[in-house]
Amino acid sequence: MTGCSLVRFLLISVYRQDSLAATCGAADSCVLACRVYCCPLPAAALPARDFLIIPLPCDSLGVICLIVPASSLTFTMTPSAPFIFGCLLYYAAASSDPPNIILIFADDLGYGDLGCYGHPTSLTPNLDRMAARGLRFTDFYTSGAVCSPSRAGLLTGRFQTRSGVYPGVFYPSSVGGLPLSEITIAEILQSRGYVTAMAGKWHLGLGRNGTFLPTRQGFQHFLGVPYSHDQGPCQNLTCFPPDTQCYGTCDLGETLLPVFIDEKILQQPVNFPGLVPLYQQFSKEFIHKAVSEKKPFFLYYASHHTHYPQFASARYTGHSPRGKFGDALLELDGTVGELISSVWDMGVQHNTLIIFTSDNGPETMRMERGGSSGLLKCGKSTTYEGGLREPAIMYWEGEIKPGVTSELASTLDILPTVASLTGTPLPKVTLDGYDLSRLLLNGEKSPRNTFYYYPPSIDPTRGIYALRMGKYKAHFYTEGAFHSETTPDPDCHITALLTEHNPPLLFDLDTDPAENYNLLKPVIPKELQPIVNEIQNERERFLKSMTYAESELNKGKDPSLRPCCNPECTPKPNCCRC
């Protein structure tokens, strides 16, 4: 349309009207009378005696005109008659009211840790309710098997190889971080007029003078910790009130854990029992202010739960039959409930998409304090299913039909999906994610049919360790990990050294999600040879197409970068208290 913006709508019935196009300066000579146009002309300029005109606001372009030939308003149920049964404005691409986005990211949460994913003693009533009212995914993957790479993939929609967030994770003294050239979900939404905030665990670098903090990556407000909450001594800190000390020692030799407000240290060391209540207050005030000011908002809530060492506030301590891990999980679930309640209290539940998932699999080395992969194999730091397959729930009241889907999806898909739902242009970079909006809103098939598994210790000469295509998963390399110790399966342990497989190990994840039965043993069955060939070809294509940025982790460490609320004090790091 010349000077007009076509708006999406639900068309029930149409009537051809050859003379309508000229009214809005359309290039077509023949249009459908039930279309909705954004016309640069005032409604009064249209011939009202010939058309029924319903003007609606249309940003700076003028009005949205629902134009219906008056002569066609014959409301009859006779199928053969030329009539308009009706037009329903379903969604305007030029709408000034795009959906709010709340993205909740758990930490070291296993596939089998939630009640709605089958754990018998996990108390997660709010997440269970969210799953019952939203869409629960059974085949959802994170891009990395440890914290920093998975967060880079989540926020950029790109594998961590492209941003250089490999191998391993960032530390308080790391020189590198998520490059400022990378474009995050927060940045694309801010360009769309959203207000943006983050609460919780960042773990994408701190850098000199806060170079890599969230406030430099599209978040207008930040309350949280710039890295993992075990990356500082915790042996003398209280994790559960009134006086239960944290389990273990965490990272000795580092500064005490700080909590930042934007780019300033709010407290050091952290008060663990008061941390989540602080995040909840911050998040609810942010939502309230955004809605009150009629601004769309993006809240990224990156929980510390259920990563070691577990902690909780008085409200949740001692209330789970699953012990301390269960109490921490219960506090995470309580936060989900608080955020959903805030959305309902502000009356924006029909215009808010809430996404819940986790960064990587459970740290099974910590046994009952480490989480559960459920029926999946191994856990954190491995490329078995337990390392990267995560619980995921998406909830949008009145828009997403409740149910369970086994369609393939990933954290990489969140950025392009959010961009589509909010009418935000995609960044002009190579993305590894897909737009899932039709799956969410219409129940259509996922556009994703493949997933690629990277280990924490990425080596460009080896590339991916495994590849999933449809229901089949092929392992080209396998390796155990320290984080997945203590399980009965020796394949998970650090003693299971890096092993190349040619031909690959092949599993049918529909019938064997635990990866117990290699379909290519002892030989490749004739009927599976085409599948193996297709997977091998896809692996080669992917390896050739992938680019590896300079490693940010290999830039090393500088002890002077460790945050200290009293920078002039000595001796460091022990004097850093405020």
PDB file of all heavy atoms in Angstrom, residues 543-574:
ATOM      1  N   LEU A 543      29.893 -26.967  10.527  1.00  0.00           N
ATOM      2  CA  LEU A 543      31.284 -26.676  10.849  1.00  0.00           C
ATOM      3  C   LEU A 543      31.873 -25.643   9.886  1.00  0.00           C
ATOM      4  O   LEU A 543      32.635 -24.757  10.299  1.00  0.00           O
ATOM      5  CB  LEU A 543      32.119 -27.960  10.812  1.00  0.00           C
ATOM      6  CG  LEU A 543      31.831 -28.994  11.910  1.00  0.00           C
ATOM      7  CD1 LEU A 543      32.666 -30.251  11.681  1.00  0.00           C
ATOM      8  CD2 LEU A 543      32.106 -28.419  13.291  1.00  0.00           C
ATOM      9  N   LYS A 544      31.523 -25.730   8.625  1.00  0.00           N
ATOM     10  CA  LYS A 544      32.031 -24.782   7.638  1.00  0.00           C
ATOM     11  C   LYS A 544      31.409 -23.395   7.806  1.00  0.00           C
ATOM     12  O   LYS A 544      32.059 -22.388   7.505  1.00  0.00           O
ATOM     13  CB  LYS A 544      31.760 -25.309   6.226  1.00  0.00           C
ATOM     14  CG  LYS A 544      32.596 -26.527   5.855  1.00  0.00           C
ATOM     15  CD  LYS A 544      32.245 -27.037   4.459  1.00  0.00           C
ATOM     16  CE  LYS A 544      33.070 -28.274   4.104  1.00  0.00           C
ATOM     17  NZ  LYS A 544      32.694 -28.828   2.761  1.00  0.00           N
ATOM     18  N   SER A 545      30.172 -23.350   8.277  1.00  0.00           N
ATOM     19  CA  SER A 545      29.471 -22.070   8.382  1.00  0.00           C
ATOM     20  C   SER A 545      29.779 -21.319   9.676  1.00  0.00           C
ATOM     21  O   SER A 545      29.583 -20.104   9.756  1.00  0.00           O
ATOM     22  CB  SER A 545      27.957 -22.294   8.287  1.00  0.00           C
ATOM     23  OG  SER A 545      27.483 -22.998   9.446  1.00  0.00           O
ATOM     24  N   MET A 546      30.268 -22.022  10.702  1.00  0.00           N
ATOM     25  CA  MET A 546      30.487 -21.401  12.000  1.00  0.00           C
ATOM     26  C   MET A 546      31.764 -20.554  12.009  1.00  0.00           C
ATOM     27  O   MET A 546      32.788 -20.957  11.479  1.00  0.00           O
ATOM     28  CB  MET A 546      30.554 -22.472  13.101  1.00  0.00           C
ATOM     29  CG  MET A 546      30.813 -21.926  14.503  1.00  0.00           C
ATOM     30  SD  MET A 546      29.675 -20.600  15.005  1.00  0.00           S
ATOM     31  CE  MET A 546      28.114 -21.498  15.043  1.00  0.00           C
ATOM     32  N   THR A 547      31.664 -19.403  12.624  1.00  0.00           N
ATOM     33  CA  THR A 547      32.829 -18.553  12.844  1.00  0.00           C
ATOM     34  C   THR A 547      33.132 -18.499  14.332  1.00  0.00           C
ATOM     35  O   THR A 547      32.217 -18.455  15.163  1.00  0.00           O
ATOM     36  CB  THR A 547      32.587 -17.130  12.318  1.00  0.00           C
ATOM     37  OG1 THR A 547      31.422 -16.582  12.957  1.00  0.00           O
ATOM     38  CG2 THR A 547      32.383 -17.132  10.812  1.00  0.00           C
ATOM     39  N   TYR A 548      34.399 -18.506  14.666  1.00  0.00           N
ATOM     40  CA  TYR A 548      34.842 -18.498  16.061  1.00  0.00           C
ATOM     41  C   TYR A 548      35.531 -17.167  16.368  1.00  0.00           C
ATOM     42  O   TYR A 548      36.616 -16.880  15.840  1.00  0.00           O
ATOM     43  CB  TYR A 548      35.792 -19.667  16.329  1.00  0.00           C
ATOM     44  CG  TYR A 548      35.112 -21.014  16.287  1.00  0.00           C
ATOM     45  CD1 TYR A 548      34.891 -21.657  15.074  1.00  0.00           C
ATOM     46  CD2 TYR A 548      34.678 -21.636  17.448  1.00  0.00           C
ATOM     47  CE1 TYR A 548      34.256 -22.886  15.025  1.00  0.00           C
ATOM     48  CE2 TYR A 548      34.035 -22.864  17.411  1.00  0.00           C
ATOM     49  CZ  TYR A 548      33.833 -23.482  16.197  1.00  0.00           C
ATOM     50  OH  TYR A 548      33.198 -24.699  16.145  1.00  0.00           O
ATOM     51  N   ALA A 549      34.882 -16.364  17.197  1.00  0.00           N
ATOM     52  CA  ALA A 549      35.484 -15.100  17.602  1.00  0.00           C
ATOM     53  C   ALA A 549      36.655 -15.360  18.546  1.00  0.00           C
ATOM     54  O   ALA A 549      36.781 -16.451  19.123  1.00  0.00           O
ATOM     55  CB  ALA A 549      34.438 -14.224  18.292  1.00  0.00           C
ATOM     56  N   GLU A 550      37.506 -14.377  18.715  1.00  0.00           N
ATOM     57  CA  GLU A 550      38.597 -14.491  19.668  1.00  0.00           C
ATOM     58  C   GLU A 550      38.035 -14.801  21.054  1.00  0.00           C
ATOM     59  O   GLU A 550      37.051 -14.200  21.486  1.00  0.00           O
ATOM     60  CB  GLU A 550      39.391 -13.190  19.728  1.00  0.00           C
ATOM     61  CG  GLU A 550      40.529 -13.209  20.727  1.00  0.00           C
ATOM     62  CD  GLU A 550      41.194 -11.856  20.905  1.00  0.00           C
ATOM     63  OE1 GLU A 550      40.725 -10.879  20.267  1.00  0.00           O
ATOM     64  OE2 GLU A 550      42.163 -11.758  21.688  1.00  0.00           O
ATOM     65  N   SER A 551      38.635 -15.741  21.744  1.00  0.00           N
ATOM     66  CA  SER A 551      38.139 -16.147  23.061  1.00  0.00           C
ATOM     67  C   SER A 551      38.283 -15.024  24.073  1.00  0.00           C
ATOM     68  O   SER A 551      39.380 -14.498  24.291  1.00  0.00           O
ATOM     69  CB  SER A 551      38.893 -17.377  23.555  1.00  0.00           C
ATOM     70  OG  SER A 551      38.617 -17.612  24.926  1.00  0.00           O
ATOM     71  N   GLU A 552      37.172 -14.654  24.694  1.00  0.00           N
ATOM     72  CA  GLU A 552      37.197 -13.655  25.765  1.00  0.00           C
ATOM     73  C   GLU A 552      37.772 -14.239  27.048  1.00  0.00           C
ATOM     74  O   GLU A 552      38.380 -13.529  27.845  1.00  0.00           O
ATOM     75  CB  GLU A 552      35.778 -13.126  26.020  1.00  0.00           C
ATOM     76  CG  GLU A 552      35.198 -12.302  24.889  1.00  0.00           C
ATOM     77  CD  GLU A 552      35.899 -10.978  24.706  1.00  0.00           C
ATOM     78  OE1 GLU A 552      36.220 -10.329  25.721  1.00  0.00           O
ATOM     79  OE2 GLU A 552      36.132 -10.588  23.542  1.00  0.00           O
ATOM     80  N   LEU A 553      37.591 -15.531  27.256  1.00  0.00           N
ATOM     81  CA  LEU A 553      38.105 -16.172  28.465  1.00  0.00           C
ATOM     82  C   LEU A 553      39.620 -16.293  28.415  1.00  0.00           C
ATOM     83  O   LEU A 553      40.294 -16.221  29.456  1.00  0.00           O
ATOM     84  CB  LEU A 553      37.469 -17.547  28.655  1.00  0.00           C
ATOM     85  CG  LEU A 553      36.099 -17.623  29.324  1.00  0.00           C
ATOM     86  CD1 LEU A 553      36.116 -17.004  30.704  1.00  0.00           C
ATOM     87  CD2 LEU A 553      35.004 -17.014  28.483  1.00  0.00           C
ATOM     88  N   ASN A 554      40.177 -16.458  27.231  1.00  0.00           N
ATOM     89  CA  ASN A 554      41.618 -16.615  27.098  1.00  0.00           C
ATOM     90  C   ASN A 554      42.378 -15.295  27.206  1.00  0.00           C
ATOM     91  O   ASN A 554      43.614 -15.283  27.111  1.00  0.00           O
ATOM     92  CB  ASN A 554      41.953 -17.290  25.771  1.00  0.00           C
ATOM     93  CG  ASN A 554      41.606 -18.776  25.781  1.00  0.00           C
ATOM     94  OD1 ASN A 554      41.397 -19.375  26.840  1.00  0.00           O
ATOM     95  ND2 ASN A 554      41.512 -19.372  24.599  1.00  0.00           N
ATOM     96  N   LYS A 555      41.663 -14.195  27.412  1.00  0.00           N
ATOM     97  CA  LYS A 555      42.335 -12.911  27.612  1.00  0.00           C
ATOM     98  C   LYS A 555      42.962 -12.805  28.998  1.00  0.00           C
ATOM     99  O   LYS A 555      43.680 -11.843  29.278  1.00  0.00           O
ATOM    100  CB  LYS A 555      41.365 -11.763  27.363  1.00  0.00           C
ATOM    101  CG  LYS A 555      40.953 -11.623  25.907  1.00  0.00           C
ATOM    102  CD  LYS A 555      40.005 -10.453  25.690  1.00  0.00           C
ATOM    103  CE  LYS A 555      39.667 -10.309  24.206  1.00  0.00           C
ATOM    104  NZ  LYS A 555      38.739  -9.180  23.944  1.00  0.00           N
ATOM    105  N   GLY A 556      42.664 -13.792  29.854  1.00  0.00           N
ATOM    106  CA  GLY A 556      43.335 -13.863  31.137  1.00  0.00           C
ATOM    107  C   GLY A 556      42.641 -13.123  32.259  1.00  0.00           C
ATOM    108  O   GLY A 556      41.492 -12.690  32.134  1.00  0.00           O
ATOM    109  N   LYS A 557      43.373 -12.980  33.369  1.00  0.00           N
ATOM    110  CA  LYS A 557      42.829 -12.369  34.579  1.00  0.00           C
ATOM    111  C   LYS A 557      43.744 -11.246  35.065  1.00  0.00           C
ATOM    112  O   LYS A 557      44.947 -11.253  34.820  1.00  0.00           O
ATOM    113  CB  LYS A 557      42.672 -13.419  35.681  1.00  0.00           C
ATOM    114  CG  LYS A 557      41.734 -14.560  35.325  1.00  0.00           C
ATOM    115  CD  LYS A 557      41.678 -15.602  36.444  1.00  0.00           C
ATOM    116  CE  LYS A 557      40.792 -16.772  36.068  1.00  0.00           C
ATOM    117  NZ  LYS A 557      40.761 -17.806  37.143  1.00  0.00           N
ATOM    118  N   ASP A 558      43.135 -10.300  35.754  1.00  0.00           N
ATOM    119  CA  ASP A 558      43.865  -9.190  36.369  1.00  0.00           C
ATOM    120  C   ASP A 558      43.269  -8.995  37.759  1.00  0.00           C
ATOM    121  O   ASP A 558      42.128  -8.539  37.889  1.00  0.00           O
ATOM    122  CB  ASP A 558      43.697  -7.921  35.534  1.00  0.00           C
ATOM    123  CG  ASP A 558      44.434  -6.723  36.131  1.00  0.00           C
ATOM    124  OD1 ASP A 558      44.911  -6.828  37.279  1.00  0.00           O
ATOM    125  OD2 ASP A 558      44.496  -5.681  35.449  1.00  0.00           O
ATOM    126  N   PRO A 559      44.009  -9.347  38.826  1.00  0.00           N
ATOM    127  CA  PRO A 559      43.470  -9.245  40.192  1.00  0.00           C
ATOM    128  C   PRO A 559      42.961  -7.853  40.555  1.00  0.00           C
ATOM    129  O   PRO A 559      42.077  -7.720  41.410  1.00  0.00           O
ATOM    130  CB  PRO A 559      44.664  -9.643  41.066  1.00  0.00           C
ATOM    131  CG  PRO A 559      45.507 -10.502  40.185  1.00  0.00           C
ATOM    132  CD  PRO A 559      45.366  -9.922  38.808  1.00  0.00           C
ATOM    133  N   SER A 560      43.473  -6.831  39.907  1.00  0.00           N
ATOM    134  CA  SER A 560      43.024  -5.472  40.225  1.00  0.00           C
ATOM    135  C   SER A 560      41.595  -5.205  39.772  1.00  0.00           C
ATOM    136  O   SER A 560      40.987  -4.204  40.166  1.00  0.00           O
ATOM    137  CB  SER A 560      43.954  -4.443  39.576  1.00  0.00           C
ATOM    138  OG  SER A 560      43.815  -4.437  38.157  1.00  0.00           O
ATOM    139  N   LEU A 561      41.038  -6.079  38.945  1.00  0.00           N
ATOM    140  CA  LEU A 561      39.667  -5.898  38.466  1.00  0.00           C
ATOM    141  C   LEU A 561      38.622  -6.403  39.454  1.00  0.00           C
ATOM    142  O   LEU A 561      37.431  -6.128  39.286  1.00  0.00           O
ATOM    143  CB  LEU A 561      39.481  -6.627  37.133  1.00  0.00           C
ATOM    144  CG  LEU A 561      40.375  -6.172  35.975  1.00  0.00           C
ATOM    145  CD1 LEU A 561      40.068  -6.977  34.723  1.00  0.00           C
ATOM    146  CD2 LEU A 561      40.207  -4.681  35.709  1.00  0.00           C
ATOM    147  N   ARG A 562      39.042  -7.134  40.486  1.00  0.00           N
ATOM    148  CA  ARG A 562      38.066  -7.659  41.442  1.00  0.00           C
ATOM    149  C   ARG A 562      37.379  -6.506  42.160  1.00  0.00           C
ATOM    150  O   ARG A 562      38.036  -5.590  42.659  1.00  0.00           O
ATOM    151  CB  ARG A 562      38.759  -8.585  42.442  1.00  0.00           C
ATOM    152  CG  ARG A 562      39.310  -9.842  41.795  1.00  0.00           C
ATOM    153  CD  ARG A 562      39.939 -10.784  42.796  1.00  0.00           C
ATOM    154  NE  ARG A 562      41.097 -10.210  43.462  1.00  0.00           N
ATOM    155  CZ  ARG A 562      42.014 -10.914  44.119  1.00  0.00           C
ATOM    156  NH1 ARG A 562      41.904 -12.241  44.189  1.00  0.00           N
ATOM    157  NH2 ARG A 562      43.029 -10.317  44.698  1.00  0.00           N
ATOM    158  N   PRO A 563      36.053  -6.521  42.217  1.00  0.00           N
ATOM    159  CA  PRO A 563      35.317  -5.374  42.768  1.00  0.00           C
ATOM    160  C   PRO A 563      35.533  -5.215  44.268  1.00  0.00           C
ATOM    161  O   PRO A 563      35.541  -6.196  45.012  1.00  0.00           O
ATOM    162  CB  PRO A 563      33.860  -5.706  42.452  1.00  0.00           C
ATOM    163  CG  PRO A 563      33.825  -7.192  42.352  1.00  0.00           C
ATOM    164  CD  PRO A 563      35.159  -7.592  41.777  1.00  0.00           C
ATOM    165  N   CYS A 564      35.685  -3.973  44.715  1.00  0.00           N
ATOM    166  CA  CYS A 564      35.899  -3.675  46.129  1.00  0.00           C
ATOM    167  C   CYS A 564      35.185  -2.378  46.461  1.00  0.00           C
ATOM    168  O   CYS A 564      35.419  -1.345  45.818  1.00  0.00           O
ATOM    169  CB  CYS A 564      37.389  -3.555  46.434  1.00  0.00           C
ATOM    170  SG  CYS A 564      37.763  -3.299  48.188  1.00  0.00           S
ATOM    171  N   CYS A 565      34.285  -2.434  47.451  1.00  0.00           N
ATOM    172  CA  CYS A 565      33.517  -1.243  47.824  1.00  0.00           C
ATOM    173  C   CYS A 565      34.384  -0.195  48.517  1.00  0.00           C
ATOM    174  O   CYS A 565      33.995   0.966  48.635  1.00  0.00           O
ATOM    175  CB  CYS A 565      32.346  -1.635  48.711  1.00  0.00           C
ATOM    176  SG  CYS A 565      32.841  -2.430  50.258  1.00  0.00           S
ATOM    177  N   ASN A 566      35.565  -0.600  48.979  1.00  0.00           N
ATOM    178  CA  ASN A 566      36.499   0.312  49.633  1.00  0.00           C
ATOM    179  C   ASN A 566      37.839   0.189  48.920  1.00  0.00           C
ATOM    180  O   ASN A 566      38.769  -0.439  49.425  1.00  0.00           O
ATOM    181  CB  ASN A 566      36.625  -0.045  51.117  1.00  0.00           C
ATOM    182  CG  ASN A 566      37.464   0.943  51.882  1.00  0.00           C
ATOM    183  OD1 ASN A 566      37.834   1.993  51.365  1.00  0.00           O
ATOM    184  ND2 ASN A 566      37.785   0.618  53.139  1.00  0.00           N
ATOM    185  N   PRO A 567      37.949   0.780  47.720  1.00  0.00           N
ATOM    186  CA  PRO A 567      39.103   0.506  46.852  1.00  0.00           C
ATOM    187  C   PRO A 567      40.449   0.910  47.430  1.00  0.00           C
ATOM    188  O   PRO A 567      41.478   0.428  46.973  1.00  0.00           O
ATOM    189  CB  PRO A 567      38.779   1.311  45.586  1.00  0.00           C
ATOM    190  CG  PRO A 567      37.767   2.325  45.992  1.00  0.00           C
ATOM    191  CD  PRO A 567      36.982   1.704  47.086  1.00  0.00           C
ATOM    192  N   GLU A 568      40.471   1.784  48.439  1.00  0.00           N
ATOM    193  CA  GLU A 568      41.739   2.234  49.005  1.00  0.00           C
ATOM    194  C   GLU A 568      42.210   1.366  50.168  1.00  0.00           C
ATOM    195  O   GLU A 568      43.299   1.584  50.713  1.00  0.00           O
ATOM    196  CB  GLU A 568      41.606   3.689  49.472  1.00  0.00           C
ATOM    197  CG  GLU A 568      41.135   4.654  48.403  1.00  0.00           C
ATOM    198  CD  GLU A 568      42.026   4.648  47.176  1.00  0.00           C
ATOM    199  OE1 GLU A 568      43.266   4.539  47.335  1.00  0.00           O
ATOM    200  OE2 GLU A 568      41.497   4.741  46.051  1.00  0.00           O
ATOM    201  N   CYS A 569      41.393   0.373  50.576  1.00  0.00           N
ATOM    202  CA  CYS A 569      41.716  -0.394  51.773  1.00  0.00           C
ATOM    203  C   CYS A 569      42.827  -1.397  51.512  1.00  0.00           C
ATOM    204  O   CYS A 569      43.128  -1.741  50.366  1.00  0.00           O
ATOM    205  CB  CYS A 569      40.473  -1.107  52.308  1.00  0.00           C
ATOM    206  SG  CYS A 569      39.970  -2.561  51.328  1.00  0.00           S
ATOM    207  N   THR A 570      43.443  -1.868  52.568  1.00  0.00           N
ATOM    208  CA  THR A 570      44.440  -2.939  52.525  1.00  0.00           C
ATOM    209  C   THR A 570      44.266  -3.807  53.767  1.00  0.00           C
ATOM    210  O   THR A 570      43.788  -3.313  54.805  1.00  0.00           O
ATOM    211  CB  THR A 570      45.879  -2.369  52.495  1.00  0.00           C
ATOM    212  OG1 THR A 570      46.077  -1.526  53.635  1.00  0.00           O
ATOM    213  CG2 THR A 570      46.132  -1.576  51.224  1.00  0.00           C
ATOM    214  N   PRO A 571      44.653  -5.088  53.776  1.00  0.00           N
ATOM    215  CA  PRO A 571      45.090  -5.807  52.556  1.00  0.00           C
ATOM    216  C   PRO A 571      43.898  -6.368  51.799  1.00  0.00           C
ATOM    217  O   PRO A 571      42.922  -6.789  52.400  1.00  0.00           O
ATOM    218  CB  PRO A 571      45.948  -6.918  53.137  1.00  0.00           C
ATOM    219  CG  PRO A 571      45.302  -7.237  54.450  1.00  0.00           C
ATOM    220  CD  PRO A 571      44.784  -5.922  54.984  1.00  0.00           C
ATOM    221  N   LYS A 572      44.000  -6.338  50.487  1.00  0.00           N
ATOM    222  CA  LYS A 572      42.953  -6.912  49.641  1.00  0.00           C
ATOM    223  C   LYS A 572      43.239  -8.412  49.458  1.00  0.00           C
ATOM    224  O   LYS A 572      44.392  -8.829  49.491  1.00  0.00           O
ATOM    225  CB  LYS A 572      42.921  -6.211  48.286  1.00  0.00           C
ATOM    226  CG  LYS A 572      42.406  -4.771  48.349  1.00  0.00           C
ATOM    227  CD  LYS A 572      42.272  -4.221  46.947  1.00  0.00           C
ATOM    228  CE  LYS A 572      41.667  -2.822  46.956  1.00  0.00           C
ATOM    229  NZ  LYS A 572      42.570  -1.843  47.563  1.00  0.00           N
ATOM    230  N   PRO A 573      42.221  -9.237  49.271  1.00  0.00           N
ATOM    231  CA  PRO A 573      40.811  -8.870  49.088  1.00  0.00           C
ATOM    232  C   PRO A 573      40.001  -8.834  50.386  1.00  0.00           C
ATOM    233  O   PRO A 573      38.835  -8.463  50.373  1.00  0.00           O
ATOM    234  CB  PRO A 573      40.296  -9.975  48.168  1.00  0.00           C
ATOM    235  CG  PRO A 573      41.084 -11.183  48.570  1.00  0.00           C
ATOM    236  CD  PRO A 573      42.453 -10.676  48.945  1.00  0.00           C
ATOM    237  N   ASN A 574      40.618  -9.226  51.528  1.00  0.00           N
ATOM    238  CA  ASN A 574      39.855  -9.394  52.766  1.00  0.00           C
ATOM    239  C   ASN A 574      39.261  -8.095  53.301  1.00  0.00           C
ATOM    240  O   ASN A 574      38.270  -8.111  54.031  1.00  0.00           O
ATOM    241  CB  ASN A 574      40.744 -10.025  53.839  1.00  0.00           C
ATOM    242  CG  ASN A 574      41.206 -11.418  53.451  1.00  0.00           C
ATOM    243  OD1 ASN A 574      40.532 -12.105  52.700  1.00  0.00           O
ATOM    244  ND2 ASN A 574      42.372 -11.839  53.949  1.00  0.00           N
TER     245      ASN A 574
END
